[in-house]
Amino acid sequence: MTALSLSLVVPWAAGLVLALLDGRRRLVGWVAVCVLGANLGALVVLAAAVLPDDPVVVTTGNWPAGVGITLRADALGVLFALLSSLALLSATVFEVLEGVRERTFPGLVVLLAAGLTGVFVTGDLFNFYVFFELAMTAGYVLATYGGGRRELGAALVFTTVNLLGTFIFLLSVAGVYHVTGTLEMSGIAARMDEVDANAAVLLAAGFFVAFSVKLGLFPFHFWLPTVYTGARPAVAAILSGGLANIGAYGLLRFGGELLPGELDLAAGALIVIGSASILYGGVLAVSRRTASEMLAYSAIGQVGYVLVAIGVGGPVGFAAAILYTVVNALNKTLLFLTAQMRGALAGATFALGALSVAGVPPAAGFVGKLELFRATAGSPALVALFVLGSALSFVYAFQTYQYDFWRGERRGRRSSAPSRASSPRSRSSSSRWACGRSRCSR
Amino acid sequence: MLALAQDELKQILAHSTISQYGYVVTLYGIGGATAAGAATLYVLAHAIAKSALFMTAGAVTVATGESKLSRLGGLRRRMPALAVASGVAAATLAALPLTLGFSKDELFFAAATEHGRAVQLLAVGAAALTVAYIGRFWLGLFTGPLQTQPSAPVPPLLLAPIVVLGALAVVGGIVVEPFARLAEDAAAATYAGPLEVAPAYHAELGSENRMALAAWALGALILVVPRVRAPLVGAFARAGERAGPRRWYALSLLWLNRVSDWAHDREVRDLRNSIAAVLVPAAVLIAIALAVTPTRGSYEVGPVALGDLPIIVLLGLGALAAVTAARDRGRLQPVLALSVLGFALAGVYAMVGAPDVALVAVLVETVLAYVFVGVFARLPPATVRRPRRRARNAVIGAAAGASAFAAIWGALSRPTATTGVAAEHIERAPEAHGGDVVTVILADFRGLDTMVEVTVLAVAVVGVASLLSRGRAW
Amino acid sequence: MSLLFALAAAVLFGTGAYLLLDRDLVRVVFGVVLVSQAAVLTLVASGLTRGAAPIYPLSRGPVSDPLSQAMALTAIVIGLAVTALLLVLVLRVVQAYRSEELAEVAVREAEREARLERLHEREHAEEEAAAR
Amino acid sequence: MSVILEVVCPRLLGPAAMVAAAIIVKGYSDVGDGFSAGVVVALAVALRYVTLGAERAERSLPVLRHAPVLAVAGLLLVLAIGFFPVAFGEPPLTHFPRAGEPVVEIGALELTTAVALDVGIFLLVAGALVETIHQIARLVEERRA
């Protein structure tokens, strides 16, 4: 219980104080990093308690469950919380190293961490909504980070589309409260069986739309490339590696736990939408020449796999979906951060992330793909789809890698051709950070 | 198979990848438990080996500046570690014994044997070719006379993963355990009951050694005896010139890029279409949901009493104000209409026994009007141009409204759950020393919600300050 | 009654959606206000037990659902927060692009992207030439 | 009209503060809570801004300059009240005195930690909204300048 409370209250309080300070100062940035580290630490302690035993359940104010708000940290939630915290931490370290440009950045990231942690450890529907809004609002402000035209335009699209999504979510929350009379998730799950099919399916559709918008699944994805390419790399990493997890988590939590019957009913539709996402994202990513744009489309394709796995369902399908989400979030964080850098280390890291996206071992992405293959082994069509998707991701990942990094190497070689003794790599690696800072030749 | 004729390092590997994925598809095509297991293992082994080889190609290119096989060679002495590591990887791909690759081919052959002689022959042929092109890749790189002097040592950062991968291939083990454990636990949380997510693969040796031997022998033959290789490759290359897979491959890549570009050009990127792309599919989903579920008896008008007339009037006024706000193209008039809407709704809330909500609605409406008017001072006046695509927007808006109507009415038609927690809230309010149950809920029962809610307000204000004065609060 | 509340909420949502699709960015903000009002109305309607205000001492007879009111209050506040934020964001976008017309913002973005694309194509061609 | 505004509006702050205090005190047994109290105060401040202009309003009432700090202090108070029970092994948001225990009463006000929570919310809302009003007012004045 203490770890659970600490993981919430530490970033929450610290974020507010940080928001008052000038975040451009290095010290403030590092304090934010420490707070995020503390958050991660508390979550690790929590995970250590949750994973072997039962979930940690606390109801606020000593009231009976349902009257008070139930906070429930189970394996699924803690896993997602850890993952998001890690993504935020790495993005912040990256940005602090590069030099923070706006006063409010560190405070907002830390508050975003508080909101995300809350989303993943709450066991109450409306509490989920408010934490969700906290994380999203911090995200809206962060999307403007940098303050240039591109960032503002991207932030506008991000904010408006996602606001629409959250209001649709709120409408569904109201409906669920009306038909079940409770807000506590386990209570809802128990009472949902008695609700007749029509209302339940309509509410489920509302939740699905809301989370699909967050995830950027195929028909709902149009905001995503604009935003991910328009935002600064650290922010893109935060949005895709941290905030987007809400979508996958929501589909798993709401589909798997609250509305399992509706999920079964919609399995076919989920698989179709997921497949469309895989193909669409993969095909569009192929001809993109800038790394961030490729990554944006790749993100659309990658969440398609998650959706297909959820649609396949069953323990194996769910495990595959979870695993794939974890791997995908890590990949995206890594790639968005390294895509703007140059040099051997950045290149190698990017290659590693790209391998992971393509599902090549020992990169983690392979494990995710393997699970997917296991989950869908029964259906040749899906396996063929996955093979095709993998091939596409292989093509686009390496095309971008070649364009961005090998070209960089060659360019470095040409410019230092007269003195062959001085290795081009040492040159580029020494200018690695300097180059990353100036947004590299874009 | 085209890999044999290629000179560019990465092209060799790329072609080989295609053929290897071909194996996997073949395996799934063969079907059955053996084949499925084999396919999994194949993906695994191939991926380890192939990434090691790709990195080898990268490392060699980085070190020498050359990427053509014919201009490379004899690097064995210069890069011993690389040679050994990538040799192991190549051996894996070629399915030599003592590597992970051996068992993968073993299974492949086993699966093929189940399906008769023709498949068997095909399998042997394919495996032989693999041996040949991988052998050519490795031998060409590391043996023979030194062709191009490496200008720099292989960077350890590039070398390390290759060595690790090579070691991995030899051990034949994989590092999925922690991940699998994590996934197991997490999946068990959403799913009642334990499950097993251990990646299992079968490494037992079958009686297919003869096929393997044949494949190696054939492969080595192709590799070592140029006279065998030359006509084979030559024929293939000639075929390739005309209609062969080489051109087909390049064409397909080109075509893929074209399709991709085409789709990208047609993709909508602006805000309006992004929103339409949420609303329209949502409406379609709702419509599908309505179509597939029985609706008989699930919609109710609900009781209406004469005393409800003021509520009905206010709701009507609100709807009218909303329509006015949508129709008027000025700046201040819509804000006025929105205020009317806000006050009308506040009246409704007051009448249905929600005075707290009514009070806050009025207050918030006033603050919002202040913000709107303040921001309008800096906005250019509205253009009165007639908008294009007004009809389209109206249709989408109507569809969104209709689907919202169906969903909301559907939910509201259910009788209120009589055993809801609200009853317990009312009952327990005195225990929390409070009289106004709504306030008690906000400050006590569900105080956490309120805490988050005011934090959202704080974050939004931080955002306003950040946007208007670069984060300076005062 | 449930029909009427649903109808009113749907009208708000529909007009909100219509405004969200407008080219004028300020009207998009109006749309968000309307959609959020629709959500609040639905929240209140979801607890529509049609009784007295839930304030002690309780009158006899039915009492309104306090929980849905609490949720509606929270939703109103959050609606205010995000609307103010969005409005200021729109102001900054209008100032940055010197246009409140969405279409123009989109056109400028497209132009910028096309420029970037051409630049990359050219760079790539140069690379190819240099490699040969 | 404008004379009335100039004379009346600045003097509204006192009554508004009174109303806000009343709302908080009565909040637990009647309509209203910390949030509405905060908005009432902020609206009175807004009136001052409108009539006096940002410059004069802030000079005449220096406490306004500390609105952001006030807001954060309020939220920290809220967090402290919400989470301090954890230190004693109780779940978060446990309020004292607990159900059934006697309460110190000052008139209509019952002293519980929940009231302190409400005060924190009041501070935050008032501070945050005043900050918004300040930003908007500055925006308008820049245009006039």
Side-chain angles (χ1 to χ4, degrees):
Chain A
M1 188 172 79
T2 315
L4 175 61
S5 301
L6 278 181
S7 68
L8 273 176
V9 80
V10 166
W12 199 340
L16 287 163
V17 175
L18 286 172
L20 279 183
L21 304 175
D22 185 354
R24 288 169 302 182
R25 278 184 309 200
R26 217 136 247 258
L27 181 66
V28 177
W30 285 114
V31 169
V33 169
C34 291
V35 171
L36 288 172
N39 180 35
L40 190 63
L43 286 171
V44 168
V45 173
L46 185 61
V50 166
L51 288 182
D53 302 330
D54 294 327
V56 173
V57 182
V58 184
T59 306
T60 59
N62 257 334
W63 300 109
V67 176
I69 290 172
T70 306
L71 294 177
R72 183 189 50 178
D74 59 11
L76 178 70
V78 169
L79 180 65
F80 271 84
L82 273 175
L83 176 67
S84 314
S85 184
L86 194 64
L88 294 190
L89 181 63
S90 29
T92 312
V93 169
F94 171 87
E95 195 60 24
V96 171
L97 283 175
E98 296 251 305
V100 175
R101 292 155 172 234
E102 279 189 19
R103 305 169 74 101
T104 50
F105 179 81
L108 285 171
V109 176
V110 172
L111 282 171
L112 177 63
L116 276 177
T117 310
V119 164
F120 297 133
V121 300
T122 190
D124 185 281
L125 186 61
F126 195 71
N127 198 234
F128 182 96
Y129 164 74
V130 286
F131 271 120
F132 178 40
E133 276 292 0
L134 175 57
M136 291 310 294
T137 311
Y140 301 149
V141 185
L142 277 177
T144 67
Y145 177 62
R149 268 177 152 202
R150 283 189 78 186
E151 287 85 7
L152 287 173
L156 182 71
V157 174
F158 180 64
T159 308
T160 315
V161 175
N162 280 290
L163 274 180
L164 181 61
T166 39
F167 284 125
I168 291 175
F169 179 78
L170 187 57
L171 283 173
S172 281
V173 169
V176 165
Y177 172 66
H178 184 83
V179 298
T180 63
T182 184
L183 290 170
E184 203 226 343
M185 286 184 186
S186 50
I188 294 171
R191 295 188 193 187
M192 213 60 200
D193 298 337
E194 299 157 19
V195 177
D196 81 344
N198 180 46
V201 167
L202 291 182
L203 294 174
F207 285 129
F208 176 73
V209 169
F211 291 127
S212 301
V213 169
K214 261 354 84 138
L215 262 181
L217 279 167
F218 166 58
F220 307 100
H221 73 276
F222 290 100
W223 61 274
L224 194 142
T226 323
V227 175
Y228 284 6
T229 51
R232 306 257 312 137
V235 172
I238 287 172
L239 296 185
S240 66
L243 211 51
N245 291 339
I246 296 177
Y249 174 80
L251 286 178
L252 286 165
R253 178 69 84 193
F254 285 70
E257 191 178 319
L258 300 187
L259 303 154
E262 286 65 39
L263 185 70
D264 285 347
L265 199 66
L270 295 193
I271 292 176
V272 169
I273 293 176
S275 311
S277 283
I278 294 175
L279 293 180
Y280 186 87
V283 167
L284 266 99
V286 164
S287 71
R288 300 301 93 213
R289 295 293 174 259
T290 60
S292 52
E293 228 181 330
M294 178 277 277
L295 288 172
Y297 284 104
S298 153
I300 297 168
Q302 300 295 318
V303 293
Y305 290 104
V306 177
L307 194 68
V308 170
I310 293 175
V312 169
V316 182
F318 271 59
I322 293 166
L323 196 62
Y324 204 83
T325 309
V326 172
V327 167
N328 188 25
L330 292 176
N331 285 345
K332 286 281 139 39
T333 313
L334 186 70
L335 287 176
F336 270 116
L337 291 181
T338 50
Q340 300 294 328
M341 297 193 286
R342 287 292 175 281
L345 184 61
T349 323
F350 187 89
L352 203 68
L355 285 175
S356 192
V357 167
V360 175
F366 163 72
V367 187
K369 283 261 163 71
L370 192 68
E371 275 307 306
L372 282 179
F373 273 106
R374 277 167 50 78
T376 56
S379 155
L382 281 182
V383 169
L385 174 76
F386 285 171
V387 170
L388 186 59
S390 301
L392 280 174
S393 55
F394 206 75
V395 170
Y396 65 67
F398 280 92
Q399 271 196 0
T400 308
Y401 180 66
Q402 281 175 330
Y403 269 110
D404 267 30
F405 287 95
W406 289 18
R407 187 182 60 184
E409 299 268 324
R410 262 190 270 157
R411 206 180 264 159
R413 185 181 319 284
R414 267 214 309 278
S415 57
S416 66
S419 58
R420 239 186 132 68
S422 75
S423 153
R425 256 163 302 99
S426 66
R427 180 185 157 276
S428 55
S429 64
S430 68
S431 63
R432 188 168 71 233
W433 292 111
C435 191
R437 195 168 299 165
S438 62
R439 250 196 146 177
C440 278
S441 75
R442 299 267 147 84
Chain B
M1 305 185 185
L2 277 172
L4 267 180
Q6 292 305 316
D7 199 22
E8 189 83 19
L9 289 180
K10 278 181 286 157
Q11 296 224 349
I12 299 182
L13 295 174
H15 282 138
S16 129
T17 303
I18 294 171
S19 96
Q20 299 284 323
Y21 269 112
Y23 276 80
V24 177
V25 175
T26 312
L27 279 169
Y28 276 109
I30 291 174
T34 328
T40 312
L41 187 65
Y42 217 110
V43 175
L44 171 68
H46 165 250
I48 290 183
K50 187 53 59 69
S51 45
L53 291 177
F54 258 111
M55 283 194 238
T56 305
V60 167
T61 310
V62 164
T64 61
E66 270 310 328
S67 61
K68 295 218 187 309
L69 191 55
S70 55
R71 289 160 66 178
L72 286 164
L75 292 171
R76 172 191 44 190
R77 286 205 192 79
R78 295 307 183 101
M79 316 172 172
L82 187 64
V84 171
S86 69
V88 172
T92 303
L93 216 54
L96 295 182
L98 288 180
T99 64
L100 192 55
F102 180 66
S103 45
K104 94 182 158 141
D105 263 22
E106 210 60 55
L107 278 171
F108 180 53
F109 290 142
T113 312
E114 287 173 13
H115 286 259
R117 188 127 302 227
V119 181
Q120 232 172 343
L121 274 178
L122 213 65
V124 171
L129 278 168
T130 311
V131 172
Y133 66 70
I134 287 304
R136 175 167 169 266
F137 174 81
W138 190 77
L139 292 176
L141 268 185
F142 294 105
T143 59
L146 190 64
Q147 299 267 354
T148 309
Q149 194 69 287
S151 60
V154 178
L157 263 174
L158 279 177
L159 184 57
I162 304 173
V163 173
V164 171
L165 284 173
L168 218 57
V170 175
V171 174
I174 38 172
V175 284
V176 291
E177 277 309 310
F179 278 97
R181 276 282 305 286
L182 217 54
E184 260 172 46
D185 287 342
T190 43
Y191 245 78
L195 62 146
E196 185 214 10
V197 197
Y201 57 88
H202 326 277
E204 76 274 9
L205 299 185
S207 62
E208 287 75 18
N209 286 329
R210 271 177 307 131
M211 281 168 73
L213 281 173
W216 296 331
L218 200 58
L221 198 69
I222 298 173
L223 188 64
V224 175
V225 186
R227 255 170 299 171
V228 182
R229 195 171 74 197
L232 203 78
V233 173
F236 226 101
R238 272 195 302 280
E241 286 297 314
R242 284 195 294 274
R246 162 101 180 89
R247 246 183 87 200
W248 180 81
Y249 171 73
L251 268 179
S252 69
L253 254 192
L254 191 71
W255 176 79
L256 189 62
N257 272 303
R258 285 230 178 104
V259 169
S260 174
D261 269 333
W262 175 85
H264 183 259
D265 288 344
R266 258 142 211 77
E267 183 173 58
V268 293
R269 301 292 290 277
D270 68 335
L271 177 58
R272 290 194 303 157
N273 292 315
S274 299
I275 288 170
V278 175
L279 289 171
V280 173
V284 170
L285 274 179
I286 297 275
I288 293 175
L290 273 179
V292 298
T293 51
T295 51
R296 179 182 291 273
S298 50
Y299 289 94
E300 282 176 9
V301 178
V304 184
L306 194 65
D308 293 338
L309 198 62
I311 299 178
I312 298 170
V313 170
L314 283 174
L315 280 178
L317 180 64
L320 204 66
V323 174
T324 312
R327 287 184 57 91
D328 199 301
R329 297 202 64 82
R331 283 275 184 268
L332 284 175
Q333 296 90 323
V335 173
L336 221 60
L338 287 181
S339 287
V340 170
L341 164 66
F343 287 118
L345 289 182
V348 173
Y349 302 151
M351 268 180 237
V352 297
D356 286 272
V357 184
L359 174 65
V360 170
V362 168
L363 290 173
V364 161
E365 207 52 57
T366 319
V367 174
L368 203 56
Y370 175 88
V371 174
F372 265 117
V373 172
V375 168
F376 285 167
R378 297 304 297 274
L379 278 174
T383 44
V384 273
R385 245 184 304 166
R386 262 188 88 77
R388 275 175 299 167
R389 299 225 224 167
R390 194 170 192 163
R392 189 197 76 148
N393 293 354
V395 168
I396 295 177
S403 51
F405 176 62
I408 296 171
W409 192 24
L412 290 184
S413 296
R414 268 359 92 198
T416 319
T418 43
T419 51
V421 285
E424 202 167 350
H425 279 140
I426 296 173
E427 213 170 281
R428 281 176 185 271
E431 285 182 44
H433 310 290
D436 182 354
V437 185
V438 176
T439 314
V440 173
I441 292 177
L442 285 175
D444 195 337
F445 297 140
R446 302 184 64 85
L448 192 61
D449 280 350
T450 314
M451 288 162 71
V452 185
E453 161 214 317
V454 290
T455 314
V456 172
L457 186 65
V459 169
V461 172
V462 168
V464 168
S466 172
L467 283 167
L468 289 184
S469 54
R470 308 229 128 247
R472 276 196 322 280
W474 212 255
Chain C
M1 239 14 227
S2 56
L3 169 67
L4 289 174
F5 272 90
L7 201 58
V11 168
L12 296 189
F13 191 87
T15 46
Y18 170 75
L19 282 173
L20 280 175
L21 295 167
D22 206 285
R23 293 197 306 174
D24 184 344
L25 288 175
V26 177
R27 288 166 70 74
V28 172
V29 183
F30 295 155
V32 167
V33 173
L34 281 175
V35 170
S36 88
Q37 298 275 30
V40 173
L41 185 62
T42 311
L43 272 172
V44 170
S46 74
L48 201 63
T49 38
R50 305 293 334 285
I55 298 174
Y56 276 87
L58 292 175
S59 57
R60 263 162 224 266
V63 177
S64 279
D65 185 335
L67 184 51
S68 68
Q69 292 183 29
M71 289 196 287
L73 279 174
T74 306
I76 288 177
V77 177
I78 290 179
L80 166 73
V82 293
T83 309
L85 179 64
L86 181 65
L87 188 62
V88 171
L89 178 58
V90 162
L91 173 69
R92 292 285 289 124
V93 169
V94 169
Q95 287 175 341
Y97 285 86
R98 298 187 194 294
S99 162
E100 75 273 28
E101 292 266 319
L102 257 178
E104 276 180 47
V105 173
V107 165
R108 304 240 173 111
E109 275 303 298
E111 278 169 9
R112 195 194 58 77
E113 235 166 60
R115 229 173 20 245
L116 213 69
E117 196 99 321
R118 277 198 301 278
L119 192 74
H120 274 275
E121 293 294 317
R122 204 162 55 230
E123 275 180 12
H124 186 227
E126 279 170 17
E127 290 298 328
E128 295 282 287
R132 276 188 218 109
Chain D
M1 178 69 185
S2 71
V3 177
I4 299 174
L5 276 179
E6 286 224 8
V7 175
V8 175
C9 291
R11 285 168 183 75
L12 272 178
L13 198 59
M18 289 292 292
V19 171
I23 289 179
I24 292 188
V25 171
K26 300 260 291 172
Y28 236 49
S29 50
D30 212 332
V31 175
D33 54 0
F35 180 84
S36 9
V39 183
V40 167
V41 167
L43 282 176
V45 171
L47 265 179
R48 252 181 119 81
Y49 269 86
V50 170
T51 50
L52 297 180
E55 188 81 359
R56 274 173 67 199
E58 280 157 24
R59 237 183 306 133
S60 67
L61 209 63
V63 69
L64 291 183
R65 286 177 194 280
H66 303 293
V69 180
L70 221 61
V72 168
L75 195 39
L76 289 180
L77 175 67
V78 169
L79 282 175
I81 301 268
F83 282 93
F84 90 92
V86 177
F88 303 109
E90 298 280 343
L93 279 158
T94 307
H95 284 307
F96 297 96
R98 281 191 266 183
E101 292 172 15
V103 184
V104 181
E105 292 187 18
I106 306 173
L109 179 65
E110 298 187 329
L111 281 186
T112 67
T113 46
V115 174
L117 191 90
D118 234 17
V119 172
I121 290 171
F122 162 74
L123 284 178
L124 174 105
V125 171
L129 289 183
V130 168
E131 161 72 16
T132 313
I133 289 163
H134 162 79
Q135 295 284 356
I136 301 283
R138 247 181 32 123
L139 197 72
V140 176
E141 298 208 341
E142 268 171 27
R143 180 184 166 82
R144 289 209 188 115

